[in-house]
């Protein structure tokens, strides 16, 4: 996990009753923003994520999802500041609301994350924006 000498800051964190703890880290700039999830349960730990433009032109969300041995699948997102909710929809049709941060300066973005049940794969992310109500 390296952010080309960019300092990573914690932008979101969470935990579950089964002992899973996680935190989302971000660093860099709008052209090359690094976003990682550091998660652990028991002796299992993994750090995964993505980098690239904070958001692609005309888009409200940029996302990553993946798996690591001994840990649940995870989805992380970075969103425009007008996004108020993100829901991950699995191949089975189940919906999982992501936890979203407040707008994080200096990025001007919100970050979101959710652990998923072991058998789930995400096929869609539904985004609700405050500007949708206008």
């Amino acid at each position: 996990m390296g952010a080309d000498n960019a300092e990573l800051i914690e932008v979101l964190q969470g935990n579950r009753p089964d002992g899973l703890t996680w935190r989302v880290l971000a660093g860099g700039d709008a052209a090359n923003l690094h976003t990682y999830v550091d998660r652990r349960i028991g002796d299992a730990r993994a750090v995964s994520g993505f980098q690239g433009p904070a958001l692609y032109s005309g888009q409200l969300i940029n996302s990553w999802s993946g798996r690591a041995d001994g840990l649940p699948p995870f989805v992380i997102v970075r969103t425009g500041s007008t996004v108020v909710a993100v829901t991950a929809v699995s191949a089975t049709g189940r919906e999982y609301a992501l936890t979203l941060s407040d707008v994080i300066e200096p990025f001007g973005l919100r970050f979101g994350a959710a652990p998923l049940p072991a058998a789930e794969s995400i096929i869609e992310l539904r985004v609700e924006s405050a500007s949708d109500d206008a």
Side-chain angles (χ1 to χ4, degrees):
M1 175 177 72
D4 300 333
N5 298 323
E7 184 177 332
L8 296 173
I9 61 169
E10 183 177 293
V11 295
L12 188 63
Q13 65 174 332
N15 59 67
R16 290 193 322 201
D18 65 359
L20 174 71
T21 60
W22 54 267
R23 60 193 190 123
V24 176
L25 307 165
D29 57 34
N32 191 25
L33 185 58
H34 300 251
T35 306
Y36 302 102
V37 60
D38 178 357
R39 61 227 189 261
R40 64 183 73 211
I41 188 170
D43 291 335
R45 178 178 183 231
V47 178
S48 311
F50 64 114
Q51 67 184 49
L55 297 173
Y56 289 95
S57 180
Q59 301 295 308
L60 287 176
I61 191 168
N62 201 344
S63 66
W64 171 91
S65 64
R67 302 173 182 273
D69 289 343
L71 294 158
F74 229 93
V75 61
I76 56 175
V77 300
R78 47 191 187 230
T79 74
S81 60
T82 62
V83 171
V84 295
V86 176
T87 303
V89 181
S90 74
T92 63
R94 290 188 178 94
E95 297 183 357
Y96 302 94
L98 274 65
T99 301
L100 287 179
S101 71
D102 291 331
V103 175
I104 303 294
E105 296 303 333
F107 309 115
L109 301 170
R110 296 182 79 180
F111 294 82
L116 305 169
E120 295 286 30
S121 296
I122 296 304
I123 60 167
E124 178 185 5
L125 291 172
R126 293 187 185 143
V127 178
E128 182 181 333
S129 173
S131 61
D132 293 344
D133 298 331

